[in-house]
Amino acid sequence: MVTDEELCKQHGVELCLFDASNWHSQGFYNHTTKVIGIDKNLDPLTRRKTLLHELGHIEHNPYSYQFNGVKYEAQANRYMIRNLLEETLATLEDTREFNYLDFMKCHSLTTVADEMMIIEEYRNLTK
């Protein structure tokens, strides 16, 4: 698996770890500086999820976020889910062994939207 730092380098962004104890979220992406900030206190799995979510914002127009915020967040979550699925499926000998409920539990994905994205992306990746 590619490290977080290598993943950022592939996307042309810098990774900055910070203490988010007094911050409103676990991470952010700054379009101007091309920096992704991630809470340094996160466990490795949550850190990876947060990083992938923030990478999902790279193509978004920050000036239209107020109008497209819900859409952009859903797109970033889909990007995260797709990448987590790719990483998970790469560890299986047979992708038919994949259990999406176990995947959801492992990654603390709890919404119906998450479930639908996982099923859709799994189908797309295993065609």
Side-chain angles (χ1 to χ4, degrees):
M1 180 169 64
V2 176
T3 68
D4 293 347
E5 292 76 12
E6 292 169 334
L7 194 55
C8 286
K9 188 175 182 177
Q10 289 174 4
H11 286 83
V13 298
E14 185 178 340
L15 179 61
C16 173
L17 300 178
F18 71 103
D19 185 351
S21 301
N22 295 317
W23 188 256
H24 64 278
S25 68
Q26 298 175 333
F28 64 87
Y29 174 62
N30 183 301
H31 284 83
T32 304
T33 60
K34 297 194 182 309
V35 170
I36 289 180
I38 303 288
D39 184 355
K40 69 179 181 180
N41 301 309
L42 297 176
D43 63 87
L45 187 57
T46 306
R47 177 180 165 176
R48 186 66 165 201
K49 278 178 48 182
T50 304
L51 173 61
L52 290 170
H53 174 91
E54 297 307 329
L55 286 170
H57 285 298
I58 288 176
E59 299 299 320
H60 294 156
N61 180 342
Y63 303 107
S64 64
Y65 194 87
Q66 71 183 41
F67 305 110
N68 294 311
V70 173
K71 176 182 174 183
Y72 285 173
E73 290 303 317
Q75 288 174 340
N77 280 344
R78 182 176 291 273
Y79 182 87
M80 171 199 61
I81 286 169
R82 181 178 183 89
N83 281 273
L84 290 172
L85 269 171
E86 287 174 342
E87 292 173 1
T88 300
L89 294 175
T91 67
L92 301 176
E93 282 187 38
D94 183 349
T95 58
R96 293 175 294 182
E97 296 172 11
F98 176 75
N99 181 312
Y100 82 89
L101 294 175
D102 290 342
F103 180 84
M104 288 183 74
K105 185 176 180 180
C106 174
H107 295 288
S108 302
L109 300 168
T110 59
T111 69
V112 173
D114 292 336
E115 180 179 8
M116 297 311 299
M117 286 183 207
I118 292 164
I119 292 167
E120 289 171 7
E121 292 302 326
Y122 171 78
R123 288 180 178 154
N124 290 335
L125 290 167
T126 58
K127 283 184 182 179

